[in-house]
Amino acid sequence: MSNITSQACLSDGVPGGPLFVGVYSTVFLVGLVLNLTALAVFFRHGKSRSHTVVYMTNLALTDLLLVLTLPLRVYYHLGFSIHLPWLCDIVGLVLLANMYGSIFLLACMCLDRCLAVSFPMSPRVCEARKKAPLVCLGVWVLTVGASLPAYISKRAEASAAAATNNASCFGNFPFYATQPVALASTLTVGFGLPLAVMLASSWGLLRAIGRSAAAAQTELVDSRKIRRMVATNLVIFLICFLPYHCMLALLYMYQKERPCPLLVTYWYSLMLACFNAMLDPLAYYFTTETFRRKMDVGAMRRMFPLHNSSSNEVQHKSRGPLNT
């Protein structure tokens, strides 16, 4: 049933064309450069790595994994056949793992900043923040483990229809994701809970900054930058992930009819989710003082190698007490 609907939509040529090819190619090129640059900055300055940077490093890694799978999607949307169904399934698994890995890591970053600002002197909070590597490990295990049932389900469905045409490599109906149990856990644990954490943490962070006496001293805390950081993270989160989860709910409501326009819109929402791999590094630069300063200084050193000592002095003087 799902294959019939998918093939009918594919026969109209909806998921092909220059839009998908252009978007996936752009995300691949820009995301590859930005995420590699971000990882180079993070690992180069590993000795001064804060807890927030630990989350950023893992976020850049998962974004890089997604970016590396996009050439196959470009190849597919150019109209070429992919004769390795297992490869399509693995690429789909990477997309799911990246999506929910990014969701959880963004929520963890937001909560970490809130705790750091709201309870800067609390020993319990300091000890909890030191567990950032373990939290990231748990996110990887959770996201990959939660994505495996979808992969196994797709393999079982492909085995039941062994003679199926592989032209619908990335155009199948999300059968597993629209099952009641999977959909409920996805909308609550996978999206709703992290969104609630981000909203509560953002509110707590802004509230703490508003009540802080240091917020009035721009040399210590720039409240405008913090508000911009909070707004940027929330906007990226909602733009990339809200449409996909809304489409899952709509596909569940119309699971029997499975109208082609709804299914095509679902494919567009998946494409939109991939933008996260390109937007996250931009968020590092525009909202994180440490990342921006270190990347700029590194670039200046490459451009002016004779002035290393002076640039070191400038970097030392530019350090402020707020290191996020």
Side-chain angles (χ1 to χ4, degrees):
M1 181 72 175
S2 62
N3 279 334
I4 295 176
T5 304
S6 300
Q7 291 297 335
C9 295
L10 287 167
S11 65
D12 296 334
V14 177
L19 179 60
F20 281 84
V21 173
V23 169
Y24 284 132
S25 299
T26 301
V27 174
F28 169 71
L29 294 174
V30 178
L32 182 65
V33 172
L34 293 181
N35 282 291
L36 286 177
T37 302
L39 287 173
V41 171
F42 294 149
F43 284 115
R44 183 177 181 180
H45 301 275
K47 292 182 179 180
S48 61
R49 183 175 301 173
S50 66
H51 305 302
T52 302
V53 174
V54 173
Y55 293 116
M56 289 182 177
T57 304
N58 283 268
L59 188 57
L61 284 173
T62 186
D63 286 341
L64 183 61
L65 288 177
L66 173 64
V67 163
L68 293 177
T69 67
L70 294 183
L72 186 64
R73 291 184 179 271
V74 173
Y75 181 83
Y76 166 77
H77 286 290
L78 283 172
F80 297 101
S81 298
I82 299 176
H83 300 283
L84 298 173
W86 59 268
L87 186 59
C88 302
D89 297 335
I90 291 178
V91 170
L93 175 65
V94 172
L95 175 58
L96 285 179
N98 166 267
M99 183 186 305
Y100 292 105
S102 298
I103 287 175
F104 287 122
L105 288 172
L106 287 171
C108 289
M109 288 167 55
C110 198
L111 179 60
D112 179 77
R113 289 190 181 110
C114 177
L115 293 176
V117 175
S118 301
F119 309 99
M121 305 302 295
S122 173
R124 292 184 179 180
V125 171
C126 292
E127 286 298 320
R129 295 186 67 218
K130 290 180 182 179
K131 294 181 172 30
L134 293 178
V135 173
C136 292
L137 177 61
V139 168
W140 281 95
V141 173
L142 176 63
T143 53
V144 174
S147 303
L148 282 176
Y151 170 78
I152 296 173
S153 175
K154 289 183 67 176
R155 296 302 299 151
E157 187 178 357
S159 300
T164 185
N165 192 329
N166 62 356
S168 60
C169 177
F170 297 119
N172 290 324
F173 185 88
F175 177 78
Y176 175 80
T178 53
Q179 296 301 302
V181 176
L183 180 64
S185 60
T186 296
L187 295 181
T188 55
V189 179
F191 180 73
L193 182 60
L195 178 59
V197 169
M198 288 192 68
L199 291 174
S201 300
S202 300
W203 176 82
L205 177 59
L206 295 177
R207 183 170 179 265
I209 292 298
R211 290 187 172 187
S212 174
Q217 305 177 22
T218 56
E219 294 182 357
L220 293 177
V221 178
D222 191 335
S223 59
R224 290 177 300 177
K225 288 183 180 180
I226 294 178
R227 291 189 181 93
R228 182 177 62 185
M229 174 189 68
V230 170
T232 300
N233 289 337
L234 288 176
V235 168
I236 291 176
F237 188 90
L238 293 175
I239 288 179
C240 293
F241 304 125
L242 181 60
Y244 170 79
H245 291 89
C246 289
M247 291 311 305
L248 282 183
L250 288 175
L251 286 175
Y252 171 76
M253 294 171 60
Y254 295 94
Q255 193 169 18
K256 294 183 179 180
E257 298 84 356
R258 296 180 183 177
C260 187
L262 201 60
L263 185 57
V264 172
T265 306
Y266 164 78
W267 293 332
Y268 279 107
S269 70
L270 274 178
M271 179 182 67
L272 191 60
C274 292
F275 269 100
N276 180 71
M278 183 177 67
L279 295 178
D280 282 337
L282 296 178
Y284 306 153
Y285 184 85
F286 288 110
T287 67
T288 308
E289 184 70 23
T290 301
F291 178 80
R292 181 166 59 251
R293 186 177 65 246
K294 289 179 178 179
M295 192 176 74
D296 289 346
V297 170
M300 291 183 65
R301 285 176 178 172
R302 290 191 295 271
M303 293 175 63
F304 305 102
L306 298 179
H307 299 281
N308 282 341
S309 60
S310 60
S311 48
N312 281 336
E313 183 180 354
V314 171
Q315 182 184 5
H316 177 75
K317 289 181 179 180
S318 64
R319 290 175 183 169
L322 182 62
N323 186 18
T324 59

